[in-house]
Amino acid sequence: MSGTAGVGKTALAVRWAHHVRDAFPDGQLYLDLRGFDPDHEPLTPAVALTQLLQALGTAPKAIPPDIDTRAALLRSLLADRRVLLVLDNVRDSGQVLPLLPPSGTVLVTSRQRLGDLIARTGARALPLSVLPAEDARHLLEAVLGSETVAAEEGAAAELARLCGHLPLALRIAAANLGASGEPEIAELARELAGGDPLAELTVDGAEESAVTTAFGVSYRALPEEHRELFRRLALVPGQTFTAPAAQALTGVPHSKANQQLKALAAAHLVERYTPGRYRFHDLLRSFAAGRTLSEDTKAEREAAERRLFESYLTTADAAGRALIPHFLRLPREEPAGDPFADTDEALAWLDAEWPNLAAAVEHSAEHGPPSSRGISPTRSAPSSTSAVITRSGSTPRRRRSKPHAAAKPGKHKPRCT
């Protein structure tokens, strides 16, 4: 069972274990491996084996000194027994493999997908996402009472949205409301909407939000190059991103950028939206934005954004030349190779990318463009990106793009043609 920090993995595992306890007459064992504990180092397999053996009644003096013999003893004690072993908060596959018994059932929870464990043992993968809107409402009702939530139904739905439907964030928000004596859901929703939700989601005046702390542990567990990509992805003005965008933000080769995106998805720090396309959970995007402001210099951020916008502009211009070759354009150096084999491929790219292109144009109009080789994207973009996003009736065939799921409600929905 895997999912991002605060999604409720442990709560679900414990609840399920209690529900099926009769199916395991020989007992249940629970062990927190502290894989992503902000206050403790992860348990080593040797320590974890010692704790499990002691829980099974092995005297401390009878526990073997080396890890292989401890693992063999654990397997012997659990052989042919119908036991449920819950291994919670696992850091990686290496931490859990020595603990697996020869029989019984093992439930593993982790912020990592643990693909190696799945491949080696045939384990079933159960990825957890954030709560549906109805379940988020039920969680608020459980803490605040159904009457309180019903009295501010619209505000409660907005509060759940601002919390990203993340159980941890919802519980913190509900706890703060419950502690106030007379909960005012609308007031808290306004505070979250008007500021930084991560900063507001604190309990009892803590210096750092529990959500921020949880995200921070996952972030620090990444290799440096993955941390760099994670925080730079917050610079994308649109809602989704692909390997070419990741390549532009970090300057690494395309294949490596693709591998890094897959690693971030395996760590549940980004989510796979469609094949080859990823997006942030809202609170994780806010966290990543804070990281790039803290850890990247202004020059590094501007250079990454400049490369991203140049990538958008170059590819959109190539699509425009393929679809509307006769359209008047400002002078611009053409790329060495054509990224599109035909007009269908150019249209498919535009169908997928128009929300990001529109967001990039709006961002440049509001904040000013990152200059590149003396060419200003705010001057070039309307003659290349805007033409292929909004112009109709000038291409080999007409085609209306499907509204993007991540597009903001009420925004103008451009049409690819």
Side-chain angles (χ1 to χ4, degrees), residues 108-175:
V108 174
T109 77
S110 179
R111 298 184 190 180
Q112 291 280 350
R113 191 173 68 88
L114 302 181
D116 181 52
L117 179 67
I118 294 170
R120 296 177 64 174
T121 66
R124 286 184 177 183
L126 178 62
L128 297 185
S129 186
V130 295
L131 296 176
E134 184 177 355
D135 290 347
R137 176 191 171 95
H138 290 332
L139 191 155
L140 291 175
E141 289 175 341
V143 180
L144 301 174
S146 57
E147 292 183 359
T148 299
V149 174
E152 297 187 79
E153 185 175 357
E158 177 64 5
L159 177 63
R161 186 191 68 80
L162 291 167
C163 289
H165 297 99
L166 187 71
L168 176 60
L170 284 165
R171 287 192 176 278
I172 293 172

Side-chain angles (χ1 to χ4, degrees), residues 32-154:
D32 180 3
L33 291 171
R34 299 176 180 173
F36 297 90
D37 190 317
D39 301 316
H40 302 90
E41 289 295 317
L43 290 187
T44 64
V47 173
L49 285 166
T50 298
Q51 293 189 12
L52 289 173
L53 289 171
Q54 289 178 338
L56 291 168
T58 306
K61 292 184 178 180
I63 296 176
D66 63 285
I67 186 172
D68 291 337
T69 311
R70 288 183 198 178
L73 178 58
L74 178 67
R75 290 193 294 270
S76 298
L77 292 174
L78 294 180
D80 301 322
R81 296 178 64 177
R82 294 172 63 187
V83 171
L84 173 62
L85 175 58
V86 179
L87 300 176
D88 190 26
N89 201 9
V90 170
R91 179 78 166 220
D92 53 40
S93 299
Q95 191 184 28
V96 72
L97 283 170
L99 313 181
L100 300 180
S103 60
T105 300
V106 181
L107 176 59
V108 174
T109 77
S110 179
R111 298 184 190 180
Q112 291 280 350
R113 191 173 68 88
L114 302 181
D116 181 52
L117 179 67
I118 294 170
R120 296 177 64 174
T121 66
R124 286 184 177 183
L126 178 62
L128 297 185
S129 186
V130 295
L131 296 176
E134 184 177 355
D135 290 347
R137 176 191 171 95
H138 290 332
L139 191 155
L140 291 175
E141 289 175 341
V143 180
L144 301 174
S146 57
E147 292 183 359
T148 299
V149 174
E152 297 187 79
E153 185 175 357

Side-chain angles (χ1 to χ4, degrees), residues 96 126 177 186 272-273 329 384 389:
V96 72
L126 178 62
L177 286 169
R272 185 174 177 268
Y273 180 47
R329 291 176 175 79
S384 53
I389 293 173

Side-chain angles (χ1 to χ4, degrees), residues 2 28 38 50 62 71 76 92 122 131 188 193 266 302 312-313 333 369 394 406:
S2 63
Q28 298 183 355
T50 298
S76 298
D92 53 40
L131 296 176
L188 179 57
E302 289 181 345
Y312 283 154
L313 183 57
E333 180 182 349
S394 301

Side-chain angles (χ1 to χ4, degrees), residues 328-362:
L328 181 64
R329 291 176 175 79
L330 293 176
R332 179 173 175 77
E333 180 182 349
E334 295 187 31
D338 191 339
F340 304 113
D342 51 35
T343 56
D344 284 343
E345 195 172 295
L347 279 168
W349 184 84
L350 286 169
D351 277 344
E353 288 291 347
W354 71 253
N356 289 327
L357 297 177
V361 172
E362 291 178 1

Side-chain angles (χ1 to χ4, degrees), residues 133-315:
E134 184 177 355
D135 290 347
R137 176 191 171 95
H138 290 332
L139 191 155
L140 291 175
E141 289 175 341
V143 180
L144 301 174
S146 57
E147 292 183 359
T148 299
V149 174
E152 297 187 79
E153 185 175 357
E158 177 64 5
L159 177 63
R161 186 191 68 80
L162 291 167
C163 289
H165 297 99
L166 187 71
L168 176 60
L170 284 165
R171 287 192 176 278
I172 293 172
N176 287 337
L177 286 169
S180 65
E182 297 182 1
E184 294 185 0
I185 301 176
E187 178 61 27
L188 179 57
R190 282 192 293 270
E191 291 178 4
L192 294 180
D196 178 4
L198 286 177
E200 298 291 339
L201 290 170
T202 59
V203 178
D204 296 333
E207 292 185 2
E208 185 176 63
S209 160
V211 180
T212 301
T213 301
F215 289 167
V217 174
S218 295
Y219 174 72
R220 290 190 294 273
L222 297 171
E224 168 54 33
E225 58 185 9
H226 294 178
R227 292 199 299 270
E228 179 183 354
L229 174 58
F230 171 77
R231 60 181 185 261
R232 297 272 178 89
L233 288 170
L235 299 174
V236 177
Q239 299 296 310
T240 65
F241 36 83
T242 59
Q247 178 184 12
L249 289 167
T250 59
V252 301
H254 180 275
S255 59
K256 190 169 186 178
N258 192 41
Q259 291 173 355
Q260 291 177 356
L261 277 175
K262 290 180 178 179
L264 291 178
H268 293 280
L269 289 171
V270 301
E271 61 178 1
R272 185 174 177 268
Y273 180 47
T274 58
R277 187 170 295 274
Y278 302 83
R279 65 182 178 184
F280 270 125
H281 179 277
D282 288 345
L283 293 179
L284 276 166
R285 185 186 181 96
S286 178
F287 176 78
R291 291 298 87 214
T292 192
L293 287 173
S294 299
E295 299 181 32
D296 293 323
T297 66
K298 182 179 180 181
E300 288 172 334
R301 293 194 302 272
E302 289 181 345
E305 188 179 70
R306 184 167 58 249
R307 292 192 302 268
L308 175 66
F309 280 40
E310 179 66 19
S311 173
Y312 283 154
L313 183 57
T314 298
T315 314

